[in-house]
Coordinates of all heavy atoms in Angstrom, one line a residue:
G250 N 32.8 3.5 -34.1 CA 31.9 2.3 -34.3 C 32.4 1.6 -35.6 O 32.9 2.2 -36.5
R251 N 32.1 0.3 -35.6 CA 32.3 -0.5 -36.8 C 31.1 -0.4 -37.6 O 30.1 -1.2 -37.4 CB 32.7 -1.9 -36.4 CG 34.0 -2.1 -35.7 CD 34.3 -3.5 -35.2 NE 34.4 -4.4 -36.4 CZ 34.6 -5.7 -36.3 NH1 34.6 -6.3 -35.1 NH2 34.7 -6.5 -37.4
V252 N 31.0 0.6 -38.5 CA 29.9 0.8 -39.3 C 29.9 -0.1 -40.6 O 30.9 0.0 -41.4 CB 29.8 2.3 -39.8 CG1 28.5 2.5 -40.6 CG2 29.7 3.2 -38.5
L253 N 28.9 -0.9 -40.8 CA 28.9 -1.8 -41.9 C 28.2 -1.2 -43.1 O 27.2 -0.4 -42.9 CB 28.1 -3.1 -41.5 CG 28.9 -4.2 -40.9 CD1 29.5 -3.8 -39.5 CD2 28.1 -5.5 -40.7
A254 N 28.7 -1.5 -44.3 CA 28.0 -1.1 -45.5 C 26.8 -2.0 -45.7 O 26.9 -3.2 -45.2 CB 29.0 -1.2 -46.7
S255 N 25.8 -1.6 -46.4 CA 24.6 -2.4 -46.5 C 23.9 -2.1 -47.8 O 23.9 -1.1 -48.4 CB 23.6 -2.2 -45.3 OG 23.2 -0.8 -45.3
F256 N 23.2 -3.2 -48.3 CA 22.2 -3.1 -49.4 C 21.0 -3.9 -49.1 O 21.0 -4.8 -48.3 CB 22.9 -3.5 -50.7 CG 23.2 -4.9 -50.9 CD1 22.3 -5.8 -51.4 CD2 24.5 -5.4 -50.5 CE1 22.6 -7.2 -51.6 CE2 24.8 -6.8 -50.7 CZ 23.8 -7.7 -51.2
A257 N 19.9 -3.6 -49.8 CA 18.7 -4.4 -49.7 C 18.4 -5.1 -51.0 O 18.6 -4.5 -52.1 CB 17.5 -3.5 -49.3
S258 N 18.0 -6.3 -50.9 CA 17.6 -7.1 -52.1 C 16.2 -6.8 -52.4 O 15.4 -6.3 -51.6 CB 17.9 -8.6 -51.9 OG 17.3 -9.0 -50.7
G259 N 15.8 -7.1 -53.6 CA 14.4 -6.9 -54.1 C 14.3 -5.7 -55.0 O 15.0 -4.8 -54.9
S260 N 13.2 -5.7 -55.8 CA 13.0 -4.7 -56.8 C 12.7 -3.3 -56.2 O 12.8 -2.3 -56.8 CB 12.0 -5.1 -57.8 OG 10.7 -5.4 -57.1
D261 N 12.2 -3.3 -55.0 CA 11.7 -2.1 -54.3 C 12.8 -1.5 -53.4 O 12.5 -0.6 -52.6 CB 10.4 -2.4 -53.5 CG 10.6 -3.4 -52.4 OD1 11.6 -4.2 -52.5 OD2 9.8 -3.5 -51.5
A262 N 14.0 -2.0 -53.5 CA 15.1 -1.6 -52.6 C 15.5 -0.2 -52.9 O 15.6 0.3 -54.0 CB 16.3 -2.5 -52.7
G263 N 15.9 0.6 -51.8 CA 16.4 1.9 -51.9 C 17.9 1.9 -51.8 O 18.6 0.8 -51.7
G264 N 18.5 3.0 -51.7 CA 20.0 3.2 -51.6 C 20.7 2.8 -52.8 O 20.2 2.8 -53.9
L265 N 22.0 2.5 -52.6 CA 22.9 2.1 -53.7 C 22.8 0.6 -53.9 O 23.2 -0.2 -53.0 CB 24.3 2.5 -53.4 CG 25.4 2.1 -54.5 CD1 25.1 2.8 -55.8 CD2 26.8 2.5 -54.0
S266 N 22.3 0.1 -55.0 CA 22.2 -1.3 -55.3 C 23.4 -1.9 -55.8 O 24.3 -1.2 -56.4 CB 21.0 -1.5 -56.3 OG 21.4 -1.1 -57.6
P267 N 23.6 -3.3 -55.7 CA 24.7 -4.0 -56.3 C 24.8 -3.7 -57.8 O 25.9 -3.6 -58.4 CB 24.5 -5.4 -56.0 CG 23.7 -5.4 -54.7 CD 22.8 -4.2 -54.9
A268 N 23.7 -3.6 -58.5 CA 23.7 -3.4 -59.9 C 24.2 -2.0 -60.3 O 24.6 -1.8 -61.4 CB 22.3 -3.6 -60.5
N269 N 24.1 -1.1 -59.4 CA 24.5 0.3 -59.7 C 25.8 0.8 -59.0 O 26.1 2.0 -59.0 CB 23.3 1.3 -59.3 CG 22.1 1.1 -60.1 OD1 22.2 0.8 -61.3 ND2 20.9 1.4 -59.6
G270 N 26.6 -0.2 -58.5 CA 27.9 0.2 -58.0 C 28.2 0.0 -56.5 O 29.2 0.5 -56.0
F271 N 27.3 -0.7 -55.8 CA 27.5 -1.0 -54.4 C 28.9 -1.6 -54.2 O 29.6 -1.2 -53.3 CB 26.4 -1.9 -53.8 CG 26.7 -2.2 -52.4 CD1 26.4 -1.4 -51.4 CD2 27.2 -3.5 -52.1 CE1 26.6 -1.7 -50.0 CE2 27.4 -3.9 -50.7 CZ 27.1 -3.0 -49.7
F272 N 29.3 -2.6 -54.9 CA 30.5 -3.3 -54.7 C 31.7 -2.4 -55.1 O 32.8 -2.6 -54.5 CB 30.6 -4.6 -55.4 CG 29.6 -5.6 -54.8 CD1 28.5 -6.1 -55.6 CD2 29.7 -6.0 -53.5 CE1 27.6 -7.0 -55.1 CE2 28.7 -6.9 -53.0 CZ 27.7 -7.4 -53.7
D273 N 31.5 -1.5 -56.0 CA 32.6 -0.5 -56.3 C 32.8 0.4 -55.1 O 34.0 0.7 -54.8 CB 32.2 0.4 -57.5 CG 32.1 -0.4 -58.8 OD1 32.8 -1.5 -58.9 OD2 31.3 0.0 -59.7
A274 N 31.7 0.8 -54.5 CA 31.8 1.6 -53.3 C 32.5 0.8 -52.1 O 33.4 1.4 -51.4 CB 30.5 2.1 -52.8
C275 N 32.2 -0.4 -52.0 CA 32.8 -1.3 -51.0 C 34.3 -1.5 -51.2 O 35.1 -1.5 -50.3 CB 32.1 -2.6 -50.9 SG 30.5 -2.6 -50.1
Q276 N 34.7 -1.6 -52.5 CA 36.1 -1.8 -52.8 C 36.8 -0.5 -52.5 O 38.0 -0.6 -52.0 CB 36.3 -2.1 -54.3 CG 37.7 -2.4 -54.7 CD 38.2 -3.7 -54.0 OE1 37.7 -4.7 -54.0 NE2 39.3 -3.5 -53.2
S277 N 36.2 0.6 -52.7 CA 36.8 1.9 -52.4 C 37.0 2.0 -50.9 O 38.1 2.4 -50.4 CB 35.9 3.1 -52.9 OG 36.5 4.3 -52.5
L278 N 36.0 1.6 -50.1 CA 36.2 1.6 -48.6 C 37.3 0.6 -48.2 O 38.1 0.9 -47.3 CB 34.9 1.2 -48.0 CG 33.7 2.2 -48.1 CD1 32.4 1.6 -47.6 CD2 34.0 3.5 -47.5
K279 N 37.3 -0.5 -48.8 CA 38.3 -1.5 -48.5 C 39.7 -1.0 -48.8 O 40.7 -1.2 -48.0 CB 38.1 -2.8 -49.3 CG 38.9 -4.0 -48.8 CD 38.5 -5.3 -49.4 CE 39.3 -6.4 -48.9 NZ 38.8 -7.7 -49.4
N280 N 39.9 -0.3 -49.9 CA 41.2 0.3 -50.3 C 41.7 1.3 -49.2 O 42.9 1.5 -49.0 CB 41.1 1.0 -51.6 CG 40.9 0.0 -52.8 OD1 41.1 -1.2 -52.6 ND2 40.5 0.5 -53.9
K281 N 40.7 2.0 -48.6 CA 41.0 2.9 -47.5 C 41.1 2.3 -46.1 O 41.4 3.0 -45.2 CB 40.0 4.1 -47.5 CG 40.0 4.9 -48.8 CD 39.1 6.1 -48.7 CE 37.6 5.8 -48.5 NZ 36.8 7.0 -48.4
G282 N 40.8 1.0 -46.0 CA 40.9 0.4 -44.7 C 39.6 0.7 -43.9 O 39.7 0.7 -42.7
E283 N 38.5 1.0 -44.5 CA 37.3 1.4 -43.8 C 36.1 0.4 -44.0 O 35.0 0.8 -43.6 CB 36.9 2.8 -44.3 CG 37.9 3.9 -44.0 CD 37.5 5.2 -44.5 OE1 36.4 5.3 -45.1 OE2 38.2 6.2 -44.2
L284 N 36.3 -0.7 -44.6 CA 35.2 -1.7 -44.8 C 35.1 -2.6 -43.6 O 35.8 -3.6 -43.5 CB 35.4 -2.5 -46.1 CG 34.3 -3.4 -46.5 CD1 33.0 -2.6 -46.7 CD2 34.6 -4.2 -47.7
A285 N 34.3 -2.2 -42.7 CA 34.1 -3.0 -41.4 C 33.2 -4.2 -41.6 O 33.1 -5.0 -40.7 CB 33.5 -2.1 -40.3
G286 N 32.7 -4.4 -42.8 CA 31.8 -5.5 -43.1 C 30.6 -5.1 -44.0 O 30.5 -3.9 -44.3
I287 N 29.8 -6.1 -44.4 CA 28.7 -5.8 -45.2 C 27.5 -6.6 -44.6 O 27.6 -7.7 -44.2 CB 28.9 -6.3 -46.7 CG1 30.0 -5.5 -47.3 CG2 27.6 -6.3 -47.5 CD1 30.5 -6.1 -48.7
F288 N 26.3 -6.0 -44.6 CA 25.1 -6.7 -44.3 C 24.0 -6.5 -45.3 O 24.0 -5.5 -46.0 CB 24.6 -6.4 -42.8 CG 23.8 -5.2 -42.7 CD1 22.4 -5.2 -42.9 CD2 24.4 -4.0 -42.4 CE1 21.6 -4.1 -42.7 CE2 23.6 -2.8 -42.2 CZ 22.2 -2.9 -42.4
V289 N 23.1 -7.4 -45.3 CA 22.0 -7.5 -46.3 C 20.6 -7.6 -45.7 O 20.4 -8.4 -44.7 CB 22.2 -8.6 -47.3 CG1 21.1 -8.6 -48.4 CG2 23.6 -8.7 -47.9
W290 N 19.7 -6.8 -46.1 CA 18.3 -7.0 -45.9 C 17.7 -7.4 -47.2 O 17.6 -6.7 -48.1 CB 17.6 -5.7 -45.4 CG 16.1 -5.9 -45.2 CD1 15.2 -5.7 -46.2 CD2 15.4 -6.5 -44.1 NE1 13.9 -6.0 -45.7 CE2 14.1 -6.5 -44.5 CE3 15.8 -7.0 -42.9 CZ2 13.1 -7.0 -43.6 CZ3 14.9 -7.4 -42.0 CH2 13.5 -7.5 -42.4
C291 N 17.2 -8.7 -47.4 CA 17.3 -9.8 -46.4 C 17.3 -11.1 -47.2 O 17.0 -11.1 -48.4 CB 16.1 -9.7 -45.4 SG 14.5 -9.8 -46.3
A292 N 17.6 -12.2 -46.6 CA 17.7 -13.5 -47.2 C 16.3 -13.9 -47.8 O 16.3 -14.5 -48.9 CB 18.1 -14.5 -46.2
D293 N 15.2 -13.5 -47.2 CA 13.9 -13.8 -47.7 C 13.7 -13.3 -49.1 O 13.1 -14.0 -50.0 CB 12.8 -13.2 -46.8 CG 13.0 -13.5 -45.3 OD1 14.2 -13.2 -44.8 OD2 12.1 -14.0 -44.6
K294 N 14.1 -12.0 -49.4 CA 14.0 -11.5 -50.7 C 15.0 -12.0 -51.7 O 14.8 -12.0 -52.9 CB 14.0 -9.9 -50.6 CG 12.8 -9.3 -49.9 CD 12.8 -7.8 -50.1 CE 11.5 -7.2 -49.5 NZ 11.4 -5.7 -49.7
S295 N 16.2 -12.3 -51.2 CA 17.3 -12.8 -52.1 C 17.0 -14.2 -52.6 O 17.7 -14.7 -53.5 CB 18.6 -12.7 -51.3 OG 19.0 -11.4 -51.0
K296 N 16.1 -14.9 -51.9 CA 15.9 -16.3 -52.3 C 15.5 -16.5 -53.8 O 16.0 -17.4 -54.5 CB 14.8 -16.9 -51.4 CG 14.6 -18.4 -51.7 CD 13.5 -18.9 -50.7 CE 13.2 -20.4 -51.0 NZ 12.1 -20.9 -50.1
S297 N 14.8 -15.5 -54.3 CA 14.3 -15.6 -55.7 C 15.4 -15.4 -56.7 O 15.3 -15.9 -57.9 CB 13.2 -14.6 -55.9 OG 13.7 -13.3 -55.8
N298 N 16.5 -14.8 -56.4 CA 17.6 -14.6 -57.3 C 18.8 -15.5 -57.1 O 19.9 -15.2 -57.6 CB 18.0 -13.1 -57.4 CG 18.7 -12.6 -56.2 OD1 19.0 -13.4 -55.3 ND2 19.0 -11.3 -56.2
G299 N 18.6 -16.5 -56.2 CA 19.7 -17.4 -55.9 C 20.9 -16.9 -55.1 O 22.0 -17.4 -55.2
F300 N 20.6 -15.8 -54.4 CA 21.6 -15.2 -53.5 C 22.9 -14.8 -54.3 O 24.0 -14.9 -53.8 CB 22.0 -16.1 -52.4 CG 20.8 -16.6 -51.6 CD1 20.1 -17.8 -51.8 CD2 20.3 -15.8 -50.6 CE1 19.0 -18.1 -51.1 CE2 19.2 -16.1 -49.8 CZ 18.5 -17.3 -50.1
E301 N 22.7 -14.3 -55.5 CA 23.8 -13.8 -56.3 C 24.7 -12.8 -55.7 O 25.9 -12.9 -55.7 CB 23.2 -13.3 -57.6 CG 24.3 -12.6 -58.5 CD 23.6 -11.9 -59.7 OE1 22.4 -12.0 -59.9 OE2 24.4 -11.3 -60.5
Y302 N 24.0 -11.8 -55.1 CA 24.8 -10.7 -54.5 C 25.4 -11.1 -53.2 O 26.5 -10.5 -52.8 CB 24.0 -9.5 -54.4 CG 23.5 -8.9 -55.8 CD1 22.2 -8.6 -56.0 CD2 24.5 -8.7 -56.8 CE1 21.8 -8.1 -57.3 CE2 24.1 -8.2 -58.0 CZ 22.8 -7.9 -58.3 OH 22.4 -7.5 -59.5

Side-chain angles (χ1 to χ4, degrees):
R251 295 177 63 183
V252 180
L253 274 63
S255 63
F256 69 89
S258 52
S260 59
D261 59 344
L265 178 63
S266 70
N269 290 331
F271 175 80
F272 293 117
D273 293 333
C275 287
Q276 186 62 58
S277 177
L278 293 174
K279 190 171 184 178
N280 292 343
K281 295 189 294 182
E283 296 178 356
L284 186 60
I287 297 171
F288 82 88
V289 184
W290 174 269
C291 59
D293 310 52
K294 290 190 175 184
S295 295
K296 184 179 179 181
S297 62
N298 70 5
F300 304 97
E301 172 188 359
Y302 295 129

